Amino acid sequence: MLRQESSDDTEDVSLFDADEGSSRKPKKSKIRHPVASFFHLFFRVSAIIVYLLCDLISSSFIACMVTIILLLSCDFWAVKNVTGRLMVGLRWWNQVDDDGKSHWVYESRKAPAQGKKVSSDSESRIFWLGLITCPIFWVIFAFITLFSFNIKWLAVVIMGVVLQGANLYGYVKCKVGSRKNLTSIATGYIGSHFLRQTFAKENQPES
């Protein structure tokens, strides 16, 4: 079971069709998902390396641009849908209700009853280090591109900032957004209840 958080309510939902940990024995390795950990860093680091070494790798700007965009797109999909779920038990996504209204949903896996951690410390460090560090590089690249008037790379660095920044924001929201949501819901409820009582007293006829 997972804690699901949206802008409207908070409820417990099942993120997976079946409990992944019920039929698997715990591994002795500190990194439980080595493939996911590898690809969590591979696509985003490769995009940065290609951007930095583009002039050495290829003389074609179009080939380098397409390669970087493909790496960024693969990274966005992998981090959003796979590595976050496996490495730290978090996921964010968008859903549309029956009325056509869009909702952003932030989910985090509850810790097992035995008190075991959802993810290992090594995986958690790898996940958050890659998630936070790489967008900083793209922000730096964006400022360098603007100051050097290298406009042809502007679309690429902006895409890097947007795609990796979106994943960073989504997972930070999964991690700490629940307390803010609960606080805002409680504050809104108390405020509306107080206003209703105030207006009710003012509208009461004087005896």
Side-chain angles (χ1 to χ4, degrees), residues 135-145 161:
I136 294 175
F137 278 99
W138 288 108
V139 172
I140 295 173
F141 295 156
F143 280 107
I144 294 175
T145 302
V161 172

Side-chain angles (χ1 to χ4, degrees), residues 61-73:
F61 167 75
I62 300 299
C64 291
M65 182 183 68
V66 171
T67 302
I68 295 172
I69 291 175
L70 287 175
L71 289 171
L72 289 172
S73 301

